């Protein structure tokens, strides 16, 4: 795996799974569609089992954990097989735990001060969240001149239509989104539809 999550694919699917049994077929559909990096959020009781199943059964997937908000989350998800970590925000203790985890991580930021604080801690790759609500492409473009060393994965409110404008920015490596894993497709186990949507997303380039 590349050392940077930002360089795996133009889009990182943000997945919420209610049933761990859906994890493997969903991951296979996303990989087949060209999106190997998959962020499974810790928003459901099935999340850890889902991460473990993907890690064990879908070797071409690079499964990560999202909504990582505690030191315990870091330990649990890495033990389950997560190969990268994503947080909506960060604290010193959470950052220390992610740094010590041995896997790549994207701490969440939404303000310039948070970006500067991470740069001070020698972290240059971050999640920008919630992207649309926090200022979108205009905000990220404004950050690129004074803080060119910071690179971002914007997530939150991004769609197939808006993703290209983010990917065109010099400080954006990839975007996170859930439009290729719509809840109705997952509920119906329509993995062909997921693969088709993933293929559209994987074709996006800045």
């Amino acid at each position: 795996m590349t050392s940077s999550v930002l360089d795996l694919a133009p889009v990182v699917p943000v997945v919420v799974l209610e049933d761990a049994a859906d994890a493997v077929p969903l991951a296979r559909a996303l990989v087949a569609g060209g999106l190997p990096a998959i962020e499974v959020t810790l928003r459901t009781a099935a999340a850890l089992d889902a991460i473990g199943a993907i890690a064990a059964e879908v070797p071409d997937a690079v499964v990560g954990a999202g909504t990582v908000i505690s030191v315990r989350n870091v330990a649990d998800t890495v033990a389950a097989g997560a190969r990268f970590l994503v947080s909506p925000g960060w604290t010193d203790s959470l950052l220390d735990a992610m740094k010590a985890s041995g896997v790549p991580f994207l701490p969440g930021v939404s303000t310039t001060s948070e970006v500067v604080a991470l740069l001070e801690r020698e972290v240059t790759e971050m999640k920008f969240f919630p992207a649309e609500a926090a200022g979108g492409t205009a905000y990220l473009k404004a950050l690129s001149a004074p803080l060119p060393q910071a690179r971002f994965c914007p997530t939150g409110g991004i769609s197939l239509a808006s993703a290209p404008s983010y990917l065109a920015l010099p400080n954006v490596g990839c975007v996170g989104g859930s439009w290729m894993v719509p809840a109705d497709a997952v509920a119906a186990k329509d993995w062909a539809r997921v693969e088709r949507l993933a293929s559209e997303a994987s074709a996006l380039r800045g």
Side-chain angles (χ1 to χ4, degrees), residues 40 43 165:
V40 177
R43 299 180 197 174
S165 60

Side-chain angles (χ1 to χ4, degrees), residues 36-107:
I38 302 167
E39 176 187 335
V40 177
T41 68
L42 300 183
R43 299 180 197 174
T44 68
L48 286 176
D49 287 340
I51 290 168
I54 295 170
E57 298 183 48
V58 192
D60 292 333
V62 180
V63 64
T67 323
V68 174
I69 58 172
S70 71
V71 173
R72 174 72 182 272
N73 286 163
V74 173
D76 288 348
T77 54
V78 172
R83 293 171 62 188
F84 65 92
L85 307 172
V86 184
S87 69
W90 65 278
T91 63
D92 286 329
S93 60
L94 180 58
L95 187 68
D96 289 343
M98 290 194 292
K99 276 190 160 190
S101 70
V103 301
F105 58 93
L106 297 173

Side-chain angles (χ1 to χ4, degrees), residues 97-201:
M98 290 194 292
K99 276 190 160 190
S101 70
V103 301
F105 58 93
L106 297 173
V109 297
S110 60
T111 69
T112 308
S113 294
E114 290 168 331
V115 176
V116 171
L118 283 176
L119 292 174
E120 191 177 73
R121 297 284 302 271
E122 301 182 332
V123 176
T124 59
E125 299 187 343
M126 314 165 193
K127 171 180 178 172
F128 179 58
F129 177 83
E132 288 286 282
T137 55
Y139 194 96
L140 286 171
K141 187 174 183 180
L143 287 181
S144 64
L147 302 170
Q149 63 272 56
R151 294 181 72 216
F152 300 95
C153 173
T155 305
I158 298 175
S159 66
L160 179 67
S162 62
S165 60
Y166 282 94
L167 292 168
L169 296 174
N171 56 349
V172 170
C174 63
V175 300
S178 56
W179 73 85
M180 75 299 300
V181 285
D184 59 338
V186 176
K189 305 188 190 306
D190 189 350
W191 311 127
R193 180 181 170 202
V194 171
E195 181 178 342
R196 189 167 63 250
L197 292 171
S199 295
E200 292 176 357

